[in-house]
Amino acid sequence: MTDHATDVLVPPEWVAARLDEFVANDPAARLLEVDLDPSSYETGHIPGATKLDWKEDLQDSTAFDIPSVADFEALLGDIAVTPESTVVVYGDMMNWFAGYGYWLLSYYGHADVRLLDGGRDGWLADDYDLTDEVPEFSPRSYTGASPNESIRVDRAEVETAMERGTSLVDVRTPEEYRGEVLAPPGWNEGVQRGGHIPGAVNVPWSQVVDADGRFKSEETIREIYREAGIDEEVVVYCRIGERSALTWFVLHELLGYESVRNYYGSWVEWGNTVGAPIERGRRAGIRGE
């Protein structure tokens, strides 16, 4: 790119000033749109942006896991991303799934990935144009780094974290956390039990963003987690690991917490595991209400 911003969170004007680079058939700069509703892309997207479907592209539905290294490398190569590309990710619904896309790129060691503050909503709020033109870029070869296991945790490691007193943050809605519902309306991954992991506090992911989708000030966000009693070592989870990926971004990338791990299996795995302990109801001192 023509210059190199150091911040992982970039404002709309930063992207707007570089549209010539994002639309060029040059892998130096790439825009990726990852939406809760993938059809949003067809209604208009930032010029040069490539659509990624979070269900089809960013997970392995057979294994119910993230894509394999080989599949992820093939995906990125097909959309003309190289290991040297500056990749900016954005999406609808306050960057809900864009944050997951950012986390996945980080997990597979992509060196330069950014998140567009405000996502689609922020772009439109600032009166920037959308296009329906789908870009065509020449495929490239992508070879990633070794997975960064320090930002992911599995169920056995969550059990160890519970024993150590590691901060567990449930970022779902208060109703999910208390066990009153199994998923938000319209969602159903077949969870058998409602509730939360014992000892987890509830800090819903949406508390750190304003109505326009932009993140609140660093001071405000830091106070939210300080009031919740969150230590420097944190495990975050939600239902399928996507909302918690955005919370991972906030804690690790924006606030600088050194040890933050995303439990990708999240409640779908925990709530369906025979013998896994759960709690229901509201714990004192949480921010979920």
Side-chain angles (χ1 to χ4, degrees):
M1 303 186 74
T2 53
D3 64 359
H4 184 79
T6 57
D7 292 337
V8 294
L9 184 66
V10 295
E13 58 267 24
W14 190 91
V15 173
R18 294 160 175 80
L19 284 183
D20 287 347
E21 298 168 59
F22 286 116
V23 301
N25 189 25
D26 181 330
R30 285 288 171 262
L31 271 171
L32 305 180
E33 180 167 332
V34 188
D35 294 318
L36 170 64
D37 177 5
S39 67
S40 297
Y41 179 86
E42 278 72 35
T43 67
H45 49 268
I46 299 176
T50 297
K51 169 186 173 179
L52 290 182
D53 187 309
W54 68 270
K55 285 186 177 180
E56 296 181 1
D57 299 321
L58 300 185
Q59 70 170 4
D60 182 333
S61 59
T62 301
F64 200 67
D65 201 349
I66 63 174
S68 68
V69 174
D71 287 345
F72 198 62
E73 289 177 340
L75 170 69
L76 294 182
D78 286 346
I79 61 174
V81 174
T82 72
E84 294 74 34
S85 299
T86 293
V87 177
V88 177
V89 191
Y90 76 97
D92 61 5
M93 193 59 179
M94 303 176 180
N95 276 328
W96 178 339
F97 280 94
Y100 167 63
Y102 181 104
W103 176 82
L104 190 57
L105 282 158
S106 300
Y107 177 76
Y108 277 129
H110 193 82
D112 190 0
V113 56
R114 327 281 177 92
L115 191 68
L116 174 60
D117 196 16
R120 281 180 61 93
D121 292 338
W123 183 263
L124 290 172
D126 286 349
D127 293 324
Y128 291 115
D129 291 335
L130 299 179
T131 181
D132 59 4
E133 182 177 350
V134 178
E136 295 183 6
F137 301 127
S138 302
R140 306 286 174 163
S141 175
Y142 191 98
T143 301
S146 298
N148 181 3
E149 299 295 348
S150 71
I151 66 172
R152 183 182 180 182
V153 65
D154 61 19
R155 185 175 60 82
E157 291 171 308
V158 173
E159 293 172 347
T160 300
M162 290 170 58
E163 296 172 358
R164 295 175 53 191
T166 299
S167 293
L168 300 175
V169 181
D170 185 320
V171 314
R172 297 174 299 162
T173 65
E175 293 78 13
E176 291 173 273
Y177 174 85
R178 293 192 298 262
E180 297 165 3
V181 299
L182 296 179
W187 295 81
N188 180 19
E189 281 76 32
V191 182
Q192 299 300 308
R193 301 183 296 168
H196 56 268
I197 299 175
V201 296
N202 183 215
V203 185
W205 70 279
S206 57
Q207 289 192 355
V208 301
V209 292
D210 285 321
D212 64 359
R214 291 179 173 86
F215 287 107
K216 295 178 180 178
S217 69
E218 179 181 333
E219 179 181 353
T220 299
I221 295 173
R222 196 174 294 279
E223 182 60 24
I224 287 172
Y225 293 106
R226 184 183 298 117
E227 288 182 3
I230 306 305
D231 296 325
E232 285 296 313
E233 185 176 352
V234 188
V235 169
V236 294
Y237 75 93
C238 57
R239 187 183 72 263
I240 56 173
E242 83 302 349
R243 286 173 286 180
S244 52
L246 189 64
T247 297
W248 172 87
F249 174 85
V250 171
L251 289 169
H252 190 271
E253 305 289 75
L254 298 186
L255 300 186
Y257 283 52
E258 292 186 3
S259 179
V260 187
R261 294 175 292 169
N262 184 27
Y263 176 25
Y264 179 78
S266 281
W267 194 251
V268 167
E269 179 179 42
W270 192 275
N272 284 333
T273 298
V274 174
I278 66 171
E279 289 180 346
R280 292 191 175 97
R282 181 180 184 274
R283 295 182 68 235
I286 66 172
R287 289 188 57 94
E289 299 185 74

